[in-house]
Amino acid sequence: MSTSNLRTRDPIRTCKKTYTNYRSFKKYLAQDFNNRCGYCDDFDGWIGGTSTYHIDHFAPKIKFPLLENDYTNLVYACSFCNRFKSDDWPSEDHTISVVKDKGYIDPCDAKYKGHFERDLYGNIIPLNNVADYMHNKLQFFLARHRIIWNLTRLKIQLDELEGLATRYKAEKEKYDKILHLYFELSIEFQNYLRYLLGENFQDGT
């Protein structure tokens, strides 16, 4: 089965500001994490944007209160991953995040992407024991992750085709092929929405 990377862009913590309340970092976290949950990579735009996403303390603040406002310990996270992870931590040391294959990989660690991949349908697949622990604890198996990934993928591809159509409008053969692909992808998008919304969807009029 064909697989792909969990995410296309890795998050990088770049903010150098300091605040006495970690909530003040939210807009910087959203930018640094590409408006995606650090753990599952769900795009925040499908469920209300920044206001609906949480700030997770990678090493829980209840165990390590000195890290509460430390930007290097913060993760932009969807409400599901944040709540499922909660205060779970495998050690008494904030620098030890994995013990006997149980624990968490920092989403900004360059090795994070090597722990997971996606199958053809967008399901998140763990590739080792630590990833398996995170997969179960954060419930990466929920359908919502597959659905959001597919909606995002289709939207990005449609946007790319729109750009190509504008670029090659004067070259009829290329332009016609692009329009044909755009039409096929639009049908796939509509079919996927129809699958998600079911036969009970009504326009409200």
Side-chain angles (χ1 to χ4, degrees):
M1 178 180 289
S2 177
T3 60
S4 60
N5 294 328
L6 173 68
R7 57 196 184 196
T8 54
R9 291 178 60 190
D10 295 329
I12 301 174
R13 295 185 183 94
T14 63
C15 180
K16 303 300 181 187
K17 296 179 180 293
T18 57
Y19 291 106
T20 55
N21 186 328
Y22 70 88
R23 294 179 181 86
S24 299
F25 286 116
K26 196 169 192 181
K27 65 178 181 181
Y28 302 104
L29 285 167
Q31 292 171 5
D32 282 351
F33 283 76
N34 309 309
N35 288 94
R36 285 164 168 75
C37 174
Y39 297 106
C40 66
D41 202 49
D42 285 358
F43 176 51
D44 64 11
W46 295 111
I47 55 172
T50 306
S51 63
T52 64
Y53 265 40
H54 295 188
I55 297 175
D56 172 66
H57 290 80
F58 182 62
K61 64 179 186 296
I62 196 169
K63 292 184 177 179
F64 310 103
L66 292 178
L67 297 177
E68 179 171 352
N69 301 311
D70 186 335
Y71 193 73
T72 64
N73 187 50
L74 303 181
V75 176
Y76 191 63
C78 69
S79 59
F80 284 77
C81 286
N82 186 42
R83 287 172 179 158
F84 289 144
K85 178 174 172 286
S86 189
D87 297 325
D88 188 41
W89 194 254
S91 75
E92 299 303 316
D93 185 333
H94 75 273
T95 66
I96 301 176
S97 64
V98 176
V99 176
K100 295 181 179 177
D101 289 336
K102 294 182 178 179
Y104 300 91
I105 307 299
D106 185 338
C108 290
D109 188 316
K111 296 178 182 177
Y112 188 88
K113 59 187 176 185
H115 291 264
F116 302 96
E117 65 184 11
R118 290 188 188 271
D119 67 14
L120 181 63
Y121 308 103
N123 295 302
I124 300 174
I125 308 299
L127 299 178
N128 53 48
N129 291 338
V130 179
D132 194 52
Y133 180 84
M134 291 181 64
H135 188 274
N136 288 323
K137 192 70 181 178
L138 302 184
Q139 301 193 22
F140 283 170
F141 50 80
L142 293 177
R144 70 186 312 276
H145 300 304
R146 180 183 72 248
I147 291 168
I148 290 174
W149 179 83
N150 273 298
L151 289 171
T152 305
R153 173 183 64 82
L154 289 168
K155 179 69 170 68
I156 290 172
Q157 290 177 348
L158 284 169
D159 286 348
E160 289 175 348
L161 286 173
E162 274 190 10
L164 288 173
T166 301
R167 181 178 175 185
Y168 291 106
K169 196 167 185 176
E171 300 180 42
K172 186 176 185 319
E173 187 174 347
K174 286 184 180 179
Y175 184 68
D176 287 346
K177 286 182 180 178
I178 292 167
L179 285 188
H180 179 69
L181 288 173
Y182 187 86
F183 177 76
E184 287 190 337
L185 200 58
S186 296
I187 295 295
E188 183 181 344
F189 198 21
Q190 283 286 11
N191 286 339
Y192 195 64
L193 288 176
R194 193 171 292 116
Y195 161 75
L196 294 176
L197 300 174
E199 297 179 354
N200 295 324
F201 175 72
Q202 299 177 8
D203 62 9
T205 58

